[in-house]
Structures are given as C-alpha cells and as structure tokens.
Amino acid sequence: MDYYKVLGLERGATPEAIKSAYRKLARKYHPDLNPKDAGAKKKFQEINEANEVLSDPGSRKKYDAHGENWKHADEFEKARQAQGPPPPHGDRPFRGGTGDEDYSDLFGSMFGGGRGGRQAKFRGQDYNAELRLELLDAYRTHKQMLTVNGKRIRITVPAGVEDGQTIRIEGHGGPGMNGGPNGDLYITFIVAEHPRFKRVGSDLYTTLDLDLYTAMLGGEPMLDTLDGAVKLTVKPETQNDTKVRLKGKGFPVYKQEGKFGDLIVTLTVKLPTGLSEEQRELFRDLQRSTP
C-alpha cells in the first residue's frame, strides 16, 4: 500500500496538506456515513494507517527512505553499519548495474539468506486488537488496560480518537526471533453512538426542547454538554428548528491539545397540551389581535 496514493498526495506533500487530505477522506469514508459499505470501512482504515505514518515525522522519514520496508529501517541501518564501509572499487566484485552499492547480501542476512553462516533475524508478528469506547471515553485522554494474546497492556488513549481509527504501538506485537525486533500492535477504536450527541469529525450535534413561552419571550435554559451544563441564550420569537452554534463546545481535536470543535444545537419548540378553556380563550384573543 502506497500511503501517499491512499491520501491522494505527492511524496513531497507538506504536513498541512497531509492533515487536510486525511480530514477530507476520513469524512467521506467514515463508517457512520457508510454504515452498510464494507469497502468504505476498509478504505477508512487504510486512510487512518496512512495518516498515522505520514503525520509522524520519524515514521514518515523511514517510509520515504525504505518504502514498504520502512518498519525494518532501524534493522537495516544497524546491519549496514555493522558491515562497515564498502570495499574499494578495485576489491569489490562486479555485479553490474549502475555502480550503486549492492546490499543484496545485507538484506539476505536480515531476512533469511546471505553468506557467512549468519543466522537470519526475523521480526515478530504484528498484532491487531479492538478497543471499544463510549463517546465520553473518547472525549478525554485516559489510560486503558487491554489483553492481547494473553498479555495485559496499559495504553494511553488520546482524546479525540474516532470510530474506526487505528493507531500503532511500536514493539508491542509478537517477539522477534534470533535477535530480531518485536512486531507492532495495531489498535482499532470502536466508539459507540451516544443517545444525545451525534459526532461528525470534531463537531457535536444535539437538540434542545423549548416550551412555547421561552421560544416566544426568550430565556436562558440550561443545556447539558459533554463537559458539563451551560446556560444557553434564547432570543425572543425563536423559530422551530433554529440552530445555535456554541464555539469550542464540541469534541477535542485529535492530538491538538486545547483545540475543540463546535456544538451545534437544534432548538425544537414544543407546543403546550392539556390547555384549559381559559387558556384556549387567551390564544383565541391572541389570534384575533394578530394582523
């Protein structure tokens, strides 16, 4: 998988371009928007994997240098250094090609072949796991314990993780062989839907019921958010389905500490029921006096 092609980018893309492409594609292929599309779910996982690598400067540098073998970059560099400098041109056996150094023996010794009787080193198996979270769990950075292949692992869950997002924890996969490195652990987060809040990216959507009197005369009803209750200002003569945007009261932005999306509130006006005859007459008076 070419991570740049997954995000629709060229290899020299800036960090800002990577972030922008990831957000655009993540919204397009998010499982919530494609609930019955298995292909979209797979694409969403690929997008997350590409973003995890390319948004991290260290991982991206290894990927740019070694391509699909980027996870073995450290092994390769150590092995190359252990070999020492290449022999002078006069002592180097002819192998043809462009004259670049031939590392075929080096790769062979690392991944199962090579000369000199050196034992091959094998990288450990990658593990995959799922971690289910409530929306409120994903709202705050916190620690979680999970068991992978019988081993308990304590991880830090960053605030703002998305449903279907996969993160890599280096070295927590299967053990390597013959001195090879451990594999990695890939954790996919499954974030449950909330009964009151709908999440789209870093924005949250909810509704608030207003009685007719508050809608007509205005008021300051209390509104529950994921970060506690706030007082909402309702203007007089507010219409049904009016939307109010509360800046910074949405979901935390992943790996951008202190930055939040918005909370969009839809105001729903509820008509009174069970009116007495006297109350009905007041509405008739109002009706007659309305131009």
Side-chain angles (χ1 to χ4, degrees):
M1 181 166 60
D2 186 325
Y3 292 145
Y4 287 101
K5 286 185 178 179
V6 168
L7 296 180
L9 298 170
E10 299 295 331
R11 296 187 69 84
T14 64
E16 291 74 18
I18 292 172
K19 183 185 300 183
S20 176
Y22 166 70
R23 288 180 176 176
K24 180 179 178 181
L25 291 171
R27 283 195 296 268
K28 179 178 179 181
Y29 292 100
H30 196 284
D32 286 351
L33 302 178
N34 304 274
K36 298 182 180 180
D37 189 341
K41 181 178 180 180
K42 181 180 179 182
K43 183 69 174 178
F44 186 74
Q45 292 174 337
E46 292 177 350
I47 292 164
N48 274 296
E49 181 180 337
N51 181 62
E52 282 290 326
V53 174
L54 298 184
S55 64
D56 181 87
S59 298
R60 183 182 181 183
K61 183 177 180 181
K62 293 176 183 178
Y63 179 75
D64 287 345
H66 301 282
E68 63 182 11
N69 295 309
W70 72 275
K71 293 181 181 179
H72 303 293
D74 293 338
E75 305 163 52
F76 173 72
E77 290 302 327
K78 288 179 182 177
R80 185 178 63 81
Q81 292 171 11
Q83 262 199 344
H89 286 280
D91 299 331
R92 187 188 305 171
F94 175 76
R95 299 187 186 276
T98 61
D100 293 337
E101 285 188 58
D102 186 349
Y103 290 118
S104 59
D105 289 337
L106 177 58
F107 275 110
S109 66
M110 288 170 61
F111 304 115
R115 299 177 300 183
R118 287 198 293 176
Q119 203 170 23
K121 296 180 179 181
F122 292 95
R123 181 179 179 277
Q125 178 184 1
D126 288 339
Y127 289 163
N128 292 278
E130 286 187 352
L131 182 58
R132 298 182 179 274
L133 303 172
E134 297 297 328
L135 187 65
L136 192 57
D137 295 329
Y139 183 80
R140 296 183 176 90
T141 297
H142 67 285
K143 296 187 182 297
Q144 285 252 9
M145 295 291 297
L146 70 157
T147 302
V148 181
N149 280 30
K151 182 180 178 181
R152 286 176 63 80
I153 301 173
R154 185 179 178 88
I155 68 167
T156 298
V157 179
V161 293
E162 296 199 35
D163 180 46
Q165 181 175 347
T166 300
I167 65 172
R168 177 177 64 92
I169 301 180
E170 189 174 358
H172 281 269
M177 295 179 60
N178 302 328
N182 292 345
D184 298 333
L185 171 62
Y186 289 85
I187 300 176
T188 299
F189 294 99
I190 308 299
V191 182
E193 294 185 359
H194 194 277
R196 290 196 55 201
F197 297 96
K198 179 176 178 59
R199 179 185 178 189
V200 180
S202 296
D203 291 334
L204 290 175
Y205 292 80
T206 190
T207 60
L208 178 64
D209 292 341
L210 297 180
D211 58 60
L212 178 63
Y213 316 106
T214 302
M216 293 302 299
L217 303 175
E220 294 183 330
M222 297 302 293
L223 171 70
D224 288 330
T225 74
L226 292 182
D227 195 34
V230 297
K231 187 179 293 185
L232 185 68
T233 299
V234 176
K235 298 178 180 180
E237 300 180 11
T238 292
Q239 300 298 305
N240 187 48
D241 286 338
T242 295
K243 289 180 172 51
V244 178
R245 180 180 293 268
L246 302 182
K247 290 284 188 181
K249 291 296 182 180
F251 219 73
V253 180
Y254 182 65
K255 287 191 175 181
Q256 295 188 41
E257 187 174 353
K259 188 173 182 180
F260 291 78
D262 300 334
L263 173 61
I264 294 89
V265 185
T266 299
L267 302 177
T268 304
V269 180
K270 296 297 183 181
L271 298 179
T273 58
L275 296 177
S276 66
E277 185 56 35
E278 182 181 0
Q279 290 171 325
R280 291 177 186 276
E281 187 59 34
L282 289 173
F283 275 102
R284 293 189 190 104
D285 289 342
L286 179 62
Q287 184 183 40
R288 285 191 290 267
S289 64
T290 302

